[in-house]
Amino acid sequence: MRVLLKFVLDCDPDAAWRALQSPTAFREVALPWLDFRSTETEGFPTVWNDDDHSVRLRAFGAVTVGTQAIRLSRMSARDPEVRILRDSGGGTGGLLAAIPHLDHRMAIAPDPAGPDSEGRVRTLYRDQLIVRAGALTPVAWYTLWAFWQWRGLRLRQLAPTWAYDPPPADTDDDDGADERGAAQPGTAPEEDR
């Protein structure tokens, strides 16, 4: 059975792509319902790599649900503007062992509607999770569908915070101050640089 999400994120595709590869963002979209903790001695990497990552899953911060392998790969798409991250891991222990194989694909692309009214490029986000858990598939699907709705809400809430690129420096005013001499957001006074 499948769980699908498709919506526009209020950030540029590069920021969304960086977030998909971040264990921190991975955890933030699941909280407070679920918390993922690395079971590896080094903990989570700063950025996901193509190695297998073992995690322990806790519900509501209190109840250990089981362990899961995260097995990421970056996939090619026909359209060069589309980037796909795939997790082909699955449950390895506890209740999650009932779902030993997941196929989770997240795709990032520029919003086909074009830039917004302020000229910012936003991101079309597509997410597909295929669940196979034998006789437990219907129960697993309903549970994961409900969680995926939360995840989608959190992705939309967090997307505007994923990147802050300061405005380009005005060539006439290289100290970051406006015409009144006040520092512009994202610029540091000359002595702090």
Side-chain angles (χ1 to χ4, degrees):
M1 299 184 109
R2 289 183 195 193
V3 180
L4 300 170
L5 293 176
K6 181 179 177 182
F7 45 79
V8 174
L9 295 173
D10 193 16
C11 66
D12 66 72
D14 290 334
W17 183 244
R18 284 189 302 271
L20 285 186
Q21 298 178 85
S22 165
T24 301
F26 167 73
R27 290 184 67 212
E28 285 178 334
V29 299
L31 291 170
W33 304 109
L34 298 174
D35 188 14
F36 294 87
R37 299 289 176 124
S38 176
T39 62
E40 300 166 13
T41 55
E42 306 85 30
F44 285 121
T46 303
V47 175
W48 292 119
N49 53 37
D50 291 344
D51 295 336
D52 284 8
H53 301 277
S54 179
V55 298
R56 179 172 292 112
L57 180 65
R58 294 177 60 92
F60 310 107
V63 179
T64 299
V65 178
T67 55
Q68 175 180 338
I70 296 174
R71 188 172 298 119
L72 296 175
S73 58
R74 285 138 188 93
M75 300 176 62
S76 304
R78 289 184 195 141
D79 184 338
E81 290 191 316
V82 176
R83 292 175 264 185
I84 302 170
L85 187 64
R86 179 182 185 203
D87 179 4
S88 58
T92 57
L95 294 175
L96 296 177
I99 311 171
H101 303 288
L102 293 174
D103 186 358
H104 180 203
R105 298 173 192 219
M106 297 157 279
I108 298 294
D111 180 4
D116 67 10
S117 62
E118 296 174 10
R120 296 176 300 162
V121 176
R122 298 186 327 156
T123 300
L124 175 62
Y125 176 80
R126 290 170 289 178
D127 192 318
Q128 173 182 269
L129 175 67
I130 298 175
V131 180
R132 291 188 186 96
L136 295 175
T137 298
V139 174
W141 183 85
Y142 281 110
T143 303
L144 288 167
W145 180 88
F147 175 65
W148 243 243
Q149 303 317 299
W150 171 256
R151 203 171 163 276
L153 173 68
R154 291 294 292 152
L155 284 165
R156 290 188 297 271
Q157 289 172 339
L158 293 169
T161 70
W162 284 338
Y164 175 70
D165 296 323
D170 184 357
T171 56
D172 296 332
D173 184 15
D174 58 346
D175 68 355
D178 66 11
E179 57 274 1
R180 299 169 309 184
Q184 293 295 308
T187 60
E190 189 72 32
E191 61 272 9
D192 291 344
R193 290 187 203 162

